[in-house]
């Protein structure tokens, strides 16, 4: 099992709720996602990211298939112009 964790900062924090909604729609169209959770930063402390995404995948291959899936790629096209910073951790669990 692979846990994919992504932290995102937006150039405009008001984009975070829209991103959350878009991400939460992915599992219905991307079968390679075993589970998905999205949380928004509530305290807005200095240096905090705006959104945290955690997905799980049955293998590194299904993670790669998720990342290449056209629906995920469409989300990335929406995200890139709004992105200020991103951090990723992929852990085997």
């Amino acid at each position: 099992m692979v846990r994919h964790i992504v932290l995102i900062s937006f150039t405009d924090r008001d984009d975070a709720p829209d991103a959350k909604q878009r991400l939460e729609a992915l599992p219905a169209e991307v079968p390679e996602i075993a589970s998905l959770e999205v949380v928004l930063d509530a305290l807005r402390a200095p240096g905090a990211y705006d959104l945290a995404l955690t997905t799980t995948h049955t293998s590194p291959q299904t993670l790669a298939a998720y990342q290449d899936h056209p629906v995920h790629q469409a989300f990335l096209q929406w995200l890139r112009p709004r992105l200020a910073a991103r951090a990723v951790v992929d852990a085997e669990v």
Side-chain angles (χ1 to χ4, degrees):
M1 185 72 76
V2 177
R3 183 172 294 141
H4 177 64
I5 303 162
V6 183
L7 302 176
I8 297 173
S9 287
F10 293 91
T11 55
D12 180 352
R13 287 184 142 171
D14 291 338
D15 285 326
D18 190 12
K20 182 179 189 299
Q21 182 179 2
R22 289 169 183 262
L23 286 164
E24 289 176 338
L26 291 179
E29 299 188 59
V30 183
E32 293 84 5
I33 298 172
S35 70
L36 179 143
E37 179 183 23
V38 182
V39 296
L40 300 178
D41 179 59
L43 302 181
R44 297 190 175 201
Y49 285 81
D50 301 315
L51 179 149
L53 165 69
T54 303
T55 61
T56 58
H57 308 271
T58 57
S59 68
Q61 293 79 17
T62 58
L63 171 60
Y66 153 69
Q67 291 171 325
D68 291 338
H69 195 284
V71 173
H72 181 254
Q73 289 298 311
F75 171 75
L76 293 178
Q77 289 297 108
W78 175 88
L79 175 65
R80 284 186 184 112
R82 296 164 175 82
L83 190 61
R86 180 178 81 111
V88 177
V89 174
D90 293 314
E92 289 191 295
V93 292

